Amino acid sequence: MLRIKALTAAALVMVTAACAEDTAEPQRATPSFAKPPITVGFLNPNGGPVPQPGTDTGVKAALKYVNTELGGINGHPLEVVYCDTDTTPEKAQSCANTFVEKKVVAVMDGYNLSSSATLPALTAAQIPLVGMIPFDSVTGAKAENRVFFAAPQASFLVGALQAFKTAGKTSVTLALVDTPSSHQTIDNLLPVLAKTLGITAKGIYFSPTNPNFTAVASTIAQDKPDVGGLVASPSEAVCTALVKALRQLQYKGDIFTAACTDYIKAGPAQAAGGALYSSNWLPVAAKYVPAELQRELSLATKYIDGVEGGTGGYYAVGEFALLVNFAKAMSSAAETDLTGPGVLKTLKGLKDFPSFLGPRLNCGSATSPNCTTQILLYVVQPDGSAKPVTDTWITPVPQVLAAIPGAV
C-alpha cells in the first residue's frame, strides 16, 4: 500500500539513511508538495565482499531530479527508505521485512546478488521488486511480482559474444567473482552460448575476498584468446587491476571490462581497444549519444556530479535511470493505482515506453521480468571515449535467449 503521511505547510521529503533507523534528518524538496509522499524501498548493495559503489549516488541524484524538476509523481514527492545489503540472503530478508513494515509501494533493486531472498516477503505483501538488471539469476528467472527495465544478464553475455563473433573473434576467456550465482553463468550458461554461437569460450573464477589479479590475468593470457576479461564487474577497482595486469603481461587481445569505465579515465591509452557493455548510454560515450538523448545524459551527469561525496560511473547512471523511469511511468497512473498492486499493474502494462537513456520498453512478459533484451557494446577509443560497435541497439539472438529461463 501507498505510505501516506500528514504534511506540514512546507512538505518534507524524508530520506531514511538506514533501514534500522526509525527517523532521519528530513531532506527538503523544492518546490513544496501539497500531496503526501510515495515511498519506495532501496536495496543498497554497499556492503559485503562484492559492493556496487555508485548505486546510492544514483538514487540520491535521481531523487533530487524527480522532486525538483519533474514535480514528483503526479504532485506526490518521492521518498526513499534505504537498507544496506551485503550479498547475504539473511541481510536481504531483513531489508524486505523492514520495507513491509514501512509499507513502501515498491522496492528498488541496486544490482543485488541476493535479491531473490526478498521475494517471499515482498510478494506476500504485494510489494513489487523493480530494478534495471537482475544480478541474482534466481530473481531473473521468473516474472512474478518483479519488473526490470534493462536486459537480463544473459543478454549482455549473448550480445557481447555475438558482436565479437561478427568481428571475427572466435575465442574468449572471461573471469567472474566466485559466488553461487556466478556458477550459474560460468558452469551452465557460457558453454551453451559458446556452442550455439560457434566460438571457444572459457570461464574462470576469482575470490571475492582475496583476489589475485596477476594470477587471473596470467590464466587469461596463457591461452592467447581473441577476447579476455570479465563477465561482470564487481567494482571499478577490479577492472583497473585486471587491465593493468593484462597489459603488463603484454596481452594483445581485446580486453573486455563488462560495465567498468573508471579505468578509462585513469589511463586512456592503456584502455584503448577495450570493450564494455551497458543497458543505457553512459557519459564516457557522450560524443556518440543520439541528439534526442543528449539532454538526458547532461541531466544525469549534472545531478550525479552534484551528490556530495558521491561515486559516479555505470551503477550511478543505471540507478538514476531506474528511479526516473519509475517516476515517469507512475506519473501516468491513476491515484487509485499508487499502491503496490497498482505499481505492478502500471509497470507491467508499459508498451513502447521511452526509457531514460535506454531503448523503448515493452514490459509484461509472462516469462521474463525484463522489459527489453537490447544492449549497447562499446569499444574504447584512443581519446578515451567509448564508441558503440553498432549504429543501433544490439538485440541478442532470440533463439539463444529462449533457452535461458527468464531471458524472454
Side-chain angles (χ1 to χ4, degrees), residues 47-51 86-88 113 176-180 182 205-213 216 234-235 237-238:
V50 192
D86 59 6
T87 74
T88 66
L113 292 170
L176 194 56
V177 63
D178 195 351
T179 65
S182 297
Y205 298 103
F206 59 87
S207 167
T209 56
N210 189 30
N212 183 336
F213 292 109
V216 173
S235 71
V238 166

Side-chain angles (χ1 to χ4, degrees), residues 278-296:
S278 75
S279 54
N280 41 255
W281 287 94
L282 301 172
V284 73
K287 64 189 295 184
Y288 306 104
V289 173
E292 66 271 19
L293 298 181
Q294 286 285 353
R295 183 175 181 273
E296 290 187 357

Side-chain angles (χ1 to χ4, degrees), residues 42-43 55 93 380:
F42 170 45
L43 289 168
T55 54
Q93 289 171 348
V380 181

